[in-house]
Amino acid sequence: MSREEEPRKTDAEGARETPTDSEPVESGKLARPGDLLPGILHVLPLANRPFFPAQMVPLVVDREPWQRTVEAAVKSGNSYVGLVLIRGDDPQAAGPGDFYTMGTASRIHKVVQVEDKLQLFVEGMQRFGIDSWVTRERPFAVHAQYFPETGYKDVPELKAYTVAVINTIKELLPLNPLYGEELKYFLNRFGPDDPARLADFAASLTTSDKPELQEVLEKTHIRERMEKVLVLLKKEVEVARAQMQIHKHVEESMEKRQREFLLREQMKAIQKELGIAKDDRTAEIEKFRARLKDLTLPEEAQKRIDEEMEKISVLEVGSPEYGVTRNYLDWLTQLPWGKYSKDNLDLKNARKILDRDHDGLADVKERIIEFLAVGSMKGEIAGSILLLVGPPGVGKTSIGRSIAQALGRKFYRFSLGGMRDEAEIKGHRRTYIGAMPGKFLQAIKDVGVANPVIMLDEVDKIGASYQGDPASALLEVLDPEQNREFLDHYLDVRFDLSKVLFVSTANQLDTIPAPLLDRTEIIRLSGYIASEKMAIAQHHLVPRQIEKAGLKSRQLKIEIAALREVIERYAREAGVRSLEKRLGQIARKAVVKILNGAKPPVRVGVKNLEEYLGKPLFRPEKPQAGVGVVTGLAWTPMGGATLDIEATRVHESTRGFKLTGQLGDVMKESAEIAYSYISSHCRDYGARADYFEKAFVHLHVPAGATPKDGPSAGITMATALLSLARGGKIVRPLAMTGEITLTGQVLPIGGIREKAIAARRAKITELILPEANRGDFEELPAHIRRGLKAHFANHYRDVARIVFPKNK
């Protein structure tokens, strides 16, 4: 057999080398394009996936960095270029170290420049490995080692792999039609009996990631390559099936919706033909008319609704005016015109509810019962505005809710704190986009009756701005003579609010405008004494906090002595809000102990209280005693407090008077008046007449960091100066409050209840009050007055007689 007829040596497990252009081709044989490949090959980087032999696709590269490489490949005479995958994602930044070691030698058939890109039509010819680098800068060139494919005939094992690959590709064809187009293109160029080309083609079909595809490219042994390709194809089949299932599910869902939509439209058309169904406008109008059947509308409102009904019946459904009119009619027909809930005027039931919800506050409850009794006598409660005034946490809001429960009325609460726009009260005009009624008509609509209990929280914190003054807008709402014809800007129809019971709350009266205050009945909640706080804690706060913490009552036991300690040393304010927070803190720490293994019940006593609450926040209030030191009584928004006023003589070189303690203007004036009065009447009260002639006196009101103001410390300051001048101190627990004038008159002051509670807390048993406040003191509940001895003074002579009894 001649050399030309000698068959090629094949190896099912390997490949043979192809001669390069520097090696001669056997004589007498026709050289194919793939038989002569350059030994030095210019390379282009690929970022996304490798390029396989037998592929023929357009490749787009950036013109500026790679034009020289393409030109060098074309000018070499054979138009071959090596396409090699890089490890990174940026081809422009790729260097020799970023290239994989194997790529595909490809022939460039055509180069087209499109703006700043080059479009190359390339055909993959053969695998090659990078033997070494000729140039390590662009244009890159390498010494190539080729791995040509041989003929694989009559190899049963490869035939089995070929059949497996073809069958797997057949599984892919129904799942994605694009696979069919690519398969046709492959079969036009190659046959199914070429396992090498088939394996490369199958790998190029998959959407595997680039390391897996590069691994296929680097497999020079055909069997290993076929095994790897089969794995990737199986994965691709699973992914394609999942995508097909998702697509099918989405299509079914869309078809179902479209079918339902078509059926509904057909049903509407049929119903319309039969006169069963109505269009949107007719349905809306009938809905509005149905709402009006059970309502008793005034003539003005009925006329307005009829006009709007006529308007909406001729408007186009899609027009903006239709939407505005529809919303307006929706509001008009949802208001409870003439609908009232029946009042429960049983006083025993009301007292039972008040006692159930609140401990203490006996005077406040009595005042509310009196209010309800008057309503019971009249047969209705209308035109009333209550104002509950007191420190935070004394139960103002909960009392309002209890009043609603006692009357059997609906309850609605909203806060006025920080409100700056009068439209919140009286509504927006309908000319504005998004206009709506004010808070009051919103409340009436929500509760569904025209006589609810509406609570206006924080009425003392209303603001004012360029958008109006909400406090002034409230005047119409809270005036019994005006609110029967309340006019909301949005509704533009008068609505009767006279049956509404308004309950407002405030911490202080100073910031409430006088005209608004004049329209309310004031009920003061001054705060709780220790015994009342104890009852509230036992009956309400402790059970509530145990429940909030997820505990059972048997799992946490707080001793009475520990509760008393919490009240006196950790939560001394007038209300019980801080007390509830402290009890919640104890409950949370008890939960932690139980979860850490402690055996319930967890017991909290005085000895271990600091483990739960830390160091006490308050020290026991012990009045100071000494020459020039007198205890006064003060009112604060948090309740009453004792105030030790100190006076001392600094030197005698010159006369002077100094004030410290961050005092307000009114309090400074009281101090000046007290100094002037005592200086001019020293002899009358047993002191040297010339004591203040050369004395520089300093008067201080602790604590210096707390601002203080008000006239009620006048007699206390005067007594401190007199004690300094006499050189005598007050030895018994005595406190006083009252305003003094230059003639020594003692004028009345406010906050008697809070000051009496503060005195009891400090264990002071003797008080000096202005004679004009005798009635206020005698009106205090017996449990507050118990143990207190009150002296009443018209003139400072009465004060001096009580403080220094030997000087009559």
Side-chain angles (χ1 to χ4, degrees):
M1 186 180 294
S2 66
R3 184 179 180 90
E4 288 80 357
E5 296 172 352
E6 193 176 9
R8 293 180 181 175
K9 294 179 181 179
T10 61
D11 182 0
E13 299 296 322
R16 69 177 181 85
E17 290 193 4
T18 297
T20 65
D21 54 3
S22 58
E23 299 175 355
V25 182
E26 297 176 24
S27 61
K29 294 193 71 173
L30 185 64
R32 295 174 302 178
D35 291 334
L36 295 175
L37 297 172
I40 296 177
L41 196 62
H42 290 88
V43 295
L44 286 173
L46 301 175
N48 299 323
R49 53 190 288 136
F51 196 78
F52 286 94
Q55 275 189 277
M56 190 168 183
V57 294
L59 179 69
V60 179
V61 297
D62 292 327
R63 183 176 65 83
E64 184 178 348
W66 306 113
Q67 185 172 7
R68 290 172 57 202
T69 303
V70 174
E71 290 175 352
V74 173
K75 288 177 181 178
S76 64
N78 49 33
S79 297
Y80 277 98
V81 67
L83 301 179
V84 185
L85 187 69
I86 59 172
R87 293 179 176 84
D89 297 324
D90 186 6
Q92 295 191 30
D98 298 316
F99 286 82
Y100 281 96
T101 57
M102 185 170 286
T104 300
S106 305
R107 179 186 291 276
I108 300 174
H109 289 281
K110 188 178 181 182
V111 180
V112 178
Q113 181 174 330
V114 182
E115 296 181 354
D116 59 345
K117 303 287 185 182
L118 292 177
Q119 190 175 51
L120 313 178
F121 292 89
V122 293
E123 178 186 6
M125 303 303 295
Q126 200 170 110
R127 284 172 173 77
F128 78 93
I130 298 176
D131 194 25
S132 61
W133 287 85
V134 177
T135 57
R136 305 182 71 86
E137 300 289 338
R138 286 193 297 239
F140 296 117
V142 299
H143 285 290
Q145 178 186 0
Y146 294 97
F147 298 91
E149 304 292 348
T150 185
Y152 302 102
K153 293 183 179 179
D154 302 325
V155 183
E157 185 180 2
L158 291 184
K159 189 173 183 180
Y161 276 110
T162 302
V163 172
V165 169
I166 291 172
N167 289 336
T168 310
I169 293 175
K170 286 181 180 179
E171 291 182 45
L172 279 173
L173 293 178
L175 302 176
N176 192 333
L178 294 177
Y179 294 136
E181 295 298 324
E182 294 191 30
L183 182 60
K184 288 178 184 177
Y185 179 73
F186 172 77
L187 293 175
N188 287 335
R189 300 177 61 221
F190 306 101
D193 57 347
D194 188 343
R197 300 298 186 193
L198 182 63
D200 290 340
F201 166 71
S204 67
L205 280 181
T206 67
T207 56
S208 304
D209 55 16
K210 65 183 187 181
E212 289 181 318
L213 294 175
Q214 179 66 25
E215 189 178 346
V216 172
L217 184 66
E218 292 179 357
K219 295 291 184 185
T220 57
H221 288 200
I222 186 63
R223 184 176 58 80
E224 293 178 0
R225 192 188 313 164
M226 297 287 275
E227 288 177 352
K228 180 66 178 175
V229 166
L230 270 173
V231 172
L232 296 185
L233 279 174
K234 291 293 183 184
K235 287 182 182 178
E236 193 69 19
V237 169
E238 295 301 322
V239 172
R241 281 178 179 163
Q243 289 177 344
M244 180 62 70
Q245 196 171 7
I246 293 169
H247 181 68
K248 184 178 179 183
H249 178 72
V250 171
E251 277 191 343
E252 287 176 355
S253 177
M254 290 180 65
E255 286 175 1
K256 183 180 178 182
R257 289 198 192 98
Q258 289 173 354
R259 184 169 173 271
E260 289 175 354
F261 174 76
L262 290 173
L263 288 174
R264 284 196 196 97
E265 292 300 314
Q266 289 175 3
M267 186 172 65
K268 284 182 182 179
I270 293 169
Q271 289 176 341
K272 193 171 182 181
E273 287 293 327
L274 295 174
I276 300 173
K278 305 171 183 68
D279 58 16
D280 292 342
R281 181 194 293 108
T282 307
E284 293 282 2
I285 292 174
E286 289 191 359
K287 180 178 71 173
F288 296 147
R289 293 197 187 282
R291 289 178 182 172
L292 297 174
K293 285 182 180 178
D294 299 327
L295 302 179
T296 306
L297 278 79
E299 183 179 349
E300 180 190 5
Q302 185 66 59
K303 182 180 177 182
R304 177 61 61 85
I305 290 175
D306 291 341
E307 291 173 354
E308 295 297 321
M309 289 284 197
E310 290 178 11
K311 183 194 294 185
I312 200 173
S313 64
V314 298
L315 288 171
E316 289 294 331
V317 176
S319 67
E321 184 68 18
Y322 178 87
V324 172
T325 305
R326 183 206 167 280
N327 291 339
Y328 181 55
L329 280 170
D330 193 42
W331 271 101
L332 278 173
T333 55
Q334 285 194 85
L335 289 174
W337 301 92
K339 290 180 67 175
Y340 302 99
S341 59
K342 187 178 179 181
D343 286 342
N344 182 357
L345 299 175
D346 184 355
L347 298 186
K348 290 183 179 179
N349 177 65
R351 188 178 292 278
K352 180 180 178 181
I353 290 175
L354 289 171
D355 289 338
R356 180 197 67 192
D357 295 343
H358 301 87
D359 287 290
L361 301 177
D363 53 336
V364 175
K365 293 177 186 176
E366 194 62 35
R367 178 69 183 83
I368 292 172
I369 292 296
E370 292 171 3
F371 170 77
L372 298 178
V374 173
S376 178
M377 183 63 69
K378 291 170 57 182
E380 66 171 356
I381 294 178
S384 301
I385 299 97
L386 300 180
L387 175 57
L388 305 176
V389 184
V394 296
K396 299 184 293 295
T397 303
S398 59
I399 282 180
R401 188 174 282 106
S402 298
I403 292 173
Q405 290 180 6
L407 287 172
R409 289 192 180 190
K410 298 288 185 69
F411 180 77
Y412 190 93
R413 172 198 165 275
F414 66 89
S415 176
L416 297 174
M419 187 178 288
R420 294 179 174 273
D421 187 356
E422 70 172 17
E424 295 283 338
I425 304 295
K426 302 194 71 173
H428 305 82
R429 301 190 185 278
R430 278 187 291 148
T431 52
Y432 298 115
I433 295 174
M436 59 191 307
K439 289 286 188 183
F440 289 97
L441 289 189
Q442 290 181 39
I444 295 291
K445 170 182 167 285
D446 288 349
V447 297
V449 291
N451 64 336
V453 175
I454 295 181
M455 169 153 280
L456 312 176
D457 254 343
E458 313 293 354
V459 74
D460 57 329
K461 298 176 180 64
I462 301 177
S465 70
Y466 68 93
Q467 295 170 309
D469 182 6
S472 300
L474 275 176
L475 296 178
E476 180 185 356
V477 179
L478 300 183
D479 191 332
E481 300 301 322
Q482 299 182 46
N483 63 13
R484 67 180 62 255
E485 293 185 343
F486 172 68
L487 185 65
D488 185 272
H489 289 157
Y490 178 85
L491 211 63
D492 206 22
V493 176
R494 299 189 183 277
F495 191 90
D496 184 5
L497 296 179
S498 62
K499 306 296 184 183
V500 177
L501 173 57
F502 294 99
V503 181
S504 51
T505 69
N507 296 129
Q508 54 191 8
L509 301 177
D510 303 349
T511 56
I512 302 176
L516 186 59
L517 202 60
D518 183 58
R519 287 163 167 78
T520 63
E521 296 182 36
I522 299 173
I523 299 178
R524 296 182 180 273
L525 289 79
S526 302
Y528 301 104
I529 60 175
S531 60
E532 292 174 331
K533 285 187 176 182
M534 178 68 73
I536 293 169
Q538 289 177 310
H539 299 155
H540 301 282
L541 304 185
V542 171
R544 187 188 305 164
Q545 291 304 318
I546 287 176
E547 183 182 354
K548 278 187 177 181
L551 296 169
K552 306 292 184 184
S553 58
R554 63 178 180 273
Q555 293 179 297
L556 175 62
K557 301 294 182 184
I558 304 176
E559 297 176 2
I560 293 178
L563 272 179
R564 188 176 295 110
E565 187 75 4
V566 173
I567 291 168
E568 294 179 355
R569 305 291 296 278
Y570 294 90
R572 193 179 283 177
E573 79 286 351
V576 293
R577 196 167 289 155
S578 179
L579 174 60
E580 186 170 14
K581 291 178 183 177
R582 297 298 175 185
L583 295 175
Q585 187 176 347
I586 292 174
R588 291 191 298 271
K589 289 187 180 292
V591 169
V592 173
K593 286 196 171 187
I594 291 173
L595 294 179
N596 286 337
K599 188 176 180 181
V602 175
R603 298 188 179 276
V604 180
V606 176
K607 291 183 179 179
N608 65 345
L609 188 60
E610 289 190 11
E611 295 179 18
Y612 296 86
L613 299 181
K615 295 295 181 182
L617 301 179
F618 301 97
R619 294 177 298 174
E621 286 188 14
K622 186 177 180 181
Q624 302 296 316
V627 176
V629 180
V630 179
T631 301
L633 297 171
W635 176 93
T636 71
M638 300 295 292
T642 57
L643 210 62
D644 291 322
I645 296 179
E646 305 169 349
T648 186
R649 183 175 60 184
V650 181
H651 56 75
E652 295 183 353
S653 59
T654 182
R655 178 173 180 162
F657 184 56
K658 181 179 181 180
L659 289 171
T660 55
Q662 204 173 155
L663 309 181
D665 292 339
V666 177
M667 202 165 184
K668 288 178 181 178
E669 289 178 0
S670 293
E672 296 286 351
I673 292 169
Y675 178 74
S676 299
Y677 178 78
I678 295 299
S679 297
S680 59
H681 294 82
C682 282
R683 185 187 298 276
D684 298 340
Y685 298 115
R688 293 199 334 262
D690 61 346
Y691 180 83
F692 291 100
E693 292 296 326
K694 295 183 179 181
F696 186 92
V697 177
H698 184 176
L699 190 142
H700 177 65
V701 185
T706 307
K708 310 167 196 70
D709 205 1
S712 63
I715 63 171
T716 314
M717 293 176 172
T719 306
L721 294 171
L722 181 58
S723 170
L724 180 65
R726 285 172 54 96
K729 64 181 181 179
I730 303 173
V731 295
R732 65 188 192 276
L734 173 70
M736 62 189 70
T737 181
E739 183 178 356
I740 192 172
T741 68
L742 281 173
T743 60
Q745 299 295 318
V746 179
L747 303 182
I749 42 81
I752 294 297
R753 178 187 171 110
E754 290 88 345
K755 293 175 180 179
I757 292 173
R760 286 180 61 88
R761 187 170 59 235
K763 296 181 172 55
I764 294 173
T765 58
E766 202 169 350
L767 306 178
I768 300 177
L769 305 173
E771 176 65 35
N773 290 113
R774 182 187 291 269
D776 297 328
F777 182 79
E778 291 176 352
E779 285 181 357
L780 293 179
H783 67 275
I784 293 180
R785 289 186 284 113
R786 189 181 300 117
L788 290 178
K789 182 180 180 181
H791 304 276
F792 300 96
N794 271 319
H795 193 274
Y796 187 75
R797 286 190 300 271
D798 304 324
V799 178
R801 192 180 302 116
I802 297 164
V803 177
F804 305 107
K806 294 181 180 179
N807 246 337
K808 297 184 180 179

